[in-house]
């Protein structure tokens, strides 16, 4: 009996451990799982304030260098010798649509779903209008001789009263699902109307730059038409195999020939969009259609998209100027050039998606700092580009 009891004692000692081991493993797995969930939540957290970090491009040549929010080297803004002749003009054109009116959101409504930037709070409608106003503000500082044209749904009442700003209603479907498709239609309609009027503008040329309304123009884009005198239409490109072209920036030379060729080019893009990429009508379909039209030209060499240098090529009879996104469509932090910092000659900053808070914060900083140029403000943009915001 003594031998038997001694044999059972180790078993009795290890039995609780056998029961506890699976429990301990399950607790450990639960802890690891919870830790992973917390990390995922932390990564996806959207902040209601700017979180500054180390700027990209430190020590790299021809990149903005910052100490705090002070630019150590100034951005290379266009000199007067590169600007337009006095008789020529540039208009910046954007498509803008207002949503949520069905929810009876009115200006001054501080009910649910508001965001605060600085000392101002916005509901959804006010937020959209604030972005549009800041878009105009940047243009009026960087291009004070230029006008802003807003293409919109005739049913929209934007209640926008700004100097050198013109609202042009164009009939169409401005719903979220069809807005990118409608944007091209609005561009085509606008260019068609301008072509009919061109005979009345014999004494000057009015060039057009079509942009998204979440962009900050930080240099005079008039220099583009002097520096490159042989293009009809300009597009921005990046080193991206599937989506090499971004539709957020399109420049059109304001001659009758340039306007007609640009309209016909966009008409071809629209047809490709409708027949091949209509399932992507809410997003990306226009960029896919642009790339398809350009790549379908037999002699076009897509390898040139690998180098961030401007070039001109004929595409279906249209002289197209390809401009690097890093300069004319720079996006913090994702987009071309994010790991290499901000080029000193950057001309347009694109605040895509949730970065729109950063757009408002940037303008507020520039407006309150009394700066004479955008260099220090661009340090704020460069150091803030790694945060998810609530816009």
């Amino acid at each position: 009996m003594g031998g038997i009891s001694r044999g059972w004692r180790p078993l009795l000692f290890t039995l609780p451990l056998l029961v506890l081991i699976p429990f301990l493993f399950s607790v450990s797995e639960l802890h690891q799982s919870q830790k992973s969930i917390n990390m995922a939540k932390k990564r996806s957290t959207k902040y209601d304030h700017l979180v500054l970090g180390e700027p990209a491009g430190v020590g790299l040549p021809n990149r903005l260098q910052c100490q705090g929010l002070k630019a150590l080297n100034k951005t290379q803004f266009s000199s007067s010798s590169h600007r337009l002749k006095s008789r020529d003009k540039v208009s910046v054109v954007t498509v803008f649509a207002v949503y949520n009116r069905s929810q009876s959101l009115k200006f001054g409504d501080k009910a649910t779903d508001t965001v605060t930037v600085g000392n101002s709070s916005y509901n959804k409608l006010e937020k959209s209008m604030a972005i549009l106003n800041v878009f105009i503000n940047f243009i009026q500082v960087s291009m004070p001789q230029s006008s802003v044209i807003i293409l919109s749904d005739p049913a929209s009442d934007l209640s926008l009263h700004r100097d050198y700003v013109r609202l042009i209603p164009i009939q169409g479907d401005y719903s979220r699902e069809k807005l990118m498709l409608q944007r091209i239609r609005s561009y085509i309609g606008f260019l068609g109307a301008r072509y009919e009027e061109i005979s009345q503008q014999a004494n000057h040329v009015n060039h057009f730059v079509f942009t998204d309304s979440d962009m900050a123009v930080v240099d005079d884009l008039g220099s583009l038409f002097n520096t490159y005198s042989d293009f009809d239409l300009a597009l921005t490109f990046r080193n991206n195999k599937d989506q090499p072209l971004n539709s957020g920036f399109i420049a059109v030379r304001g001659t009758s020939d340039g306007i007609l060729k640009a309209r016909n080019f966009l008409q071809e893009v629209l047809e490709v969009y409708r027949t091949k990429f209509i399932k992507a009508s809410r997003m990306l379909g226009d960029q896919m259609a642009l790339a398809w039209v350009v790549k379908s030209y037999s002699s076009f060499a897509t390898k040139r998209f690998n180098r961030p240098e401007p070039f001109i090529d004929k595409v279906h009879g249209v002289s197209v100027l390809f401009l690097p996104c890093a300069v004319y469509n720079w996006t913090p932090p994702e987009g071309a050039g994010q790991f290499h910092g901000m080029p000193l000659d950057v001309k347009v900053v694109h605040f895509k998606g949730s970065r729109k808070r950063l757009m408002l914060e940037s303008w507020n900083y520039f407006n309150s700092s009394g700066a004479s140029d955008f260099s220090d403000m661009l340090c704020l943009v460069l150091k803030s580009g790694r945060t998810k915001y609530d816009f």
Side-chain angles (χ1 to χ4, degrees):
M1 289 292 294
I4 295 175
S5 64
R6 283 195 298 271
W8 275 98
R9 284 173 185 170
L11 182 60
L12 291 172
F13 178 75
T14 58
L15 186 60
L17 290 177
L18 294 173
V19 174
L20 283 172
I21 285 173
F23 175 75
L24 291 173
F25 270 113
S26 63
V27 170
S28 176
E29 290 172 357
L30 179 63
H31 178 73
Q32 291 294 330
S33 176
Q34 188 61 46
K35 185 177 179 181
S36 299
I37 292 172
N38 291 338
M39 289 179 66
K41 286 183 177 179
K42 186 176 181 180
R43 284 194 299 269
S44 63
T45 298
K46 290 187 177 182
Y47 295 89
D48 61 357
H49 58 280
L50 299 184
V51 178
L52 303 183
E54 289 299 317
V58 174
L60 294 179
N62 301 318
R63 293 297 187 271
L64 182 65
Q65 304 296 313
C66 304
Q67 186 173 42
L69 295 181
K70 187 70 177 176
L72 299 179
N73 51 353
K74 296 296 184 180
T75 48
Q76 299 168 357
F77 297 120
S78 300
S79 64
S80 57
S81 62
H82 288 94
R83 292 177 183 172
L84 281 176
K85 300 174 183 178
S86 58
R87 70 176 185 273
D88 291 351
K89 297 181 180 179
V90 175
S91 295
V92 181
V93 185
T94 192
V95 170
F96 186 80
V98 175
Y99 302 108
N100 299 310
R101 285 193 179 276
S102 61
Q103 300 176 17
S104 300
L105 283 174
K106 299 178 180 179
F107 292 102
D109 179 10
K110 304 298 180 186
T112 59
D113 201 11
T114 62
V115 294
T116 301
V117 179
N119 297 322
S120 301
S121 294
Y122 308 96
N123 60 37
K124 287 185 177 181
L125 176 57
E126 292 168 333
K127 181 173 64 178
S128 297
M129 294 303 300
I131 292 166
L132 180 63
N133 273 292
V134 166
F135 167 77
I136 296 169
N137 292 345
F138 275 112
I139 293 169
Q140 293 188 339
V141 171
S142 58
M143 304 172 62
Q145 304 303 316
S146 299
S147 61
V148 177
I149 298 173
I150 301 171
L151 311 180
S152 190
D153 187 344
S156 294
D157 178 14
L158 298 183
S159 302
L160 189 69
H161 305 286
R162 300 284 303 266
D163 292 337
Y164 306 107
V165 176
R166 182 183 176 191
L167 301 177
I168 298 181
I170 295 182
Q171 194 69 43
D173 183 353
Y174 289 82
S175 64
R176 287 187 184 275
E177 291 70 22
K178 298 294 179 62
L179 184 58
M180 294 300 97
L181 194 65
Q182 179 59 44
R183 181 171 66 172
I184 298 181
R185 287 176 173 149
S186 295
Y187 289 173
I188 293 169
F190 173 80
L191 289 172
R194 299 294 78 74
Y195 181 73
E196 296 297 327
E197 298 171 355
I198 199 71
S199 60
Q200 304 173 18
Q201 301 174 349
N203 295 325
H204 72 271
V205 175
N206 196 157
H207 306 291
F208 301 104
V209 178
F210 298 86
T211 77
D212 289 349
S213 59
D214 56 359
M215 287 181 157
V217 177
V218 296
D219 195 8
D220 192 337
L221 297 175
S223 62
L224 175 66
F225 298 93
N226 272 356
T227 305
Y228 307 98
S229 59
D230 298 326
F231 75 91
D232 303 310
L233 174 84
L235 302 171
T236 54
F237 72 92
R238 58 202 170 192
N239 187 13
N240 184 313
K241 182 179 179 181
D242 296 323
Q243 298 168 31
L245 299 173
N246 184 276
S247 58
F249 181 102
I250 300 174
V252 175
R253 187 169 297 280
T255 62
S256 59
D257 191 52
I259 290 174
L260 180 61
K261 287 182 177 179
R263 188 195 67 175
N264 292 343
F265 181 91
L266 291 177
Q267 186 67 51
E268 186 174 358
V269 172
L270 178 62
E271 291 305 313
V272 171
Y273 196 166
R274 292 170 56 188
T275 57
K276 296 182 180 295
F277 303 107
I278 194 62
K279 290 184 178 179
S281 60
R282 180 163 184 169
M283 287 186 66
L284 304 180
D286 55 339
Q287 300 186 48
M288 295 175 181
L290 270 174
W292 194 95
V293 170
V294 169
K295 291 179 178 180
S296 67
Y297 187 61
S298 58
S299 66
F300 189 83
T302 57
K303 64 181 181 181
R304 282 179 291 185
F305 289 150
N306 299 338
R307 301 176 61 187
E309 297 177 358
F311 64 93
I312 295 180
D313 201 349
K314 285 279 188 179
V315 179
H316 304 291
V318 180
S319 181
V320 181
L321 170 64
F322 294 91
L323 299 165
C325 281
V327 176
Y328 289 88
N329 203 335
W330 189 85
T331 302
E334 301 179 16
Q338 63 161 330
F339 300 114
H340 303 292
M342 182 184 292
L344 281 175
D345 55 349
V346 66
K347 298 184 183 301
V348 180
V349 179
H350 195 170
F351 296 92
K352 299 176 185 175
S354 62
R355 302 169 186 82
K356 291 175 181 57
R357 163 179 283 278
L358 180 54
M359 183 176 179
L360 298 188
E361 296 272 14
S362 299
W363 172 256
N364 288 347
Y365 176 74
F366 171 77
N367 198 36
S368 62
S369 65
S372 59
D373 62 50
F374 291 122
S375 297
D376 293 346
M377 183 214 72
L378 292 175
C379 280
L380 177 71
V381 175
L382 186 62
K383 291 167 69 76
S384 306
R386 294 158 184 79
T387 306
K388 289 182 176 293
Y389 304 111
D390 62 353
F391 271 39

